Amino acid sequence: MKTHYYLGWFNSHFPENLSKVLQEDIIDRKSLVMISSNPSIYEEIGAAERSWLDQAGIMFEEYHLINHCVAKEEAHSLIKNASVIFLLGGNTVEQNRFLAEYELSDPIKKSRALVMGASAGAINMSAKWLCSKNLGYNVEDSTLYDGIGLDGFAVLSHFDLEHNLALVQSELSSLSEDTNIYASNKDCAVRVKGGKIDILGTAYLISRSEIRRLDETL
């Protein structure tokens, strides 16, 4: 039973109910493999995300960070043997390029590990995502990117939805005609476990240009 967590961002720690379900879901704690969103920067990457797990009492025997310091072949081996794969937050476009450069999408999809991503990492776990200045990216032209596609839907993570619902609905309307989109604020999570989708925090479903708030189930 594959389990995927699409996370927003947390200022200090996971909420108690999220910590509880993660503790239940993460049974194998041998190896945590983190995938950088800034692969050319080597210091303190993943410190925040690792601290969330630490504070939830989820520790691992081994910790690995995949960036440009790690050879492609080694990166594939680390993913194959991972207990948990964590796509880190940061630069969504750079992480997307790195996933393509190192050909990591297929190994991640084939892995038996629990896969989770925060902010940029959650977005890149999804099937597709829109890079647009209206969604906070420093670009002139909008570009539709392919993500890993773990669950066949799109994700907008770590976005101020309360003040931008109309903008988000309009901006993602075209994409939502073909792909369901889960949009969430920063202190939120979407969990997919055995095909069942659970929600923590403020999250919306955008489907065929319609948007509706989802009930919390975690």
Side-chain angles (χ1 to χ4, degrees), residues 23-53:
Q23 286 171 348
E24 294 170 354
D25 286 340
I26 302 176
I27 299 169
D28 179 1
R29 301 185 184 181
K30 179 174 175 52
S31 174
L32 172 66
V33 175
M34 298 176 287
I35 300 177
S36 179
S37 62
N38 296 282
S40 298
I41 301 173
Y42 308 133
E43 296 180 1
E44 297 300 320
I45 296 297
E49 292 93 329
R50 179 171 167 176
S51 75
W52 302 336
L53 291 168

Side-chain angles (χ1 to χ4, degrees), residues 75-91:
H76 282 226
S77 178
L78 288 171
I79 287 172
K80 183 179 180 180
N81 296 302
S83 306
V84 172
I85 299 167
F86 201 151
L87 285 88
L88 303 177
N91 190 318

Side-chain angles (χ1 to χ4, degrees), residues 63-78:
Y63 293 85
H64 303 279
L65 174 64
I66 295 178
N67 57 22
H68 280 137
C69 282
V70 177
K72 178 179 172 180
E73 294 75 14
E74 183 183 355
H76 282 226
S77 178
L78 288 171

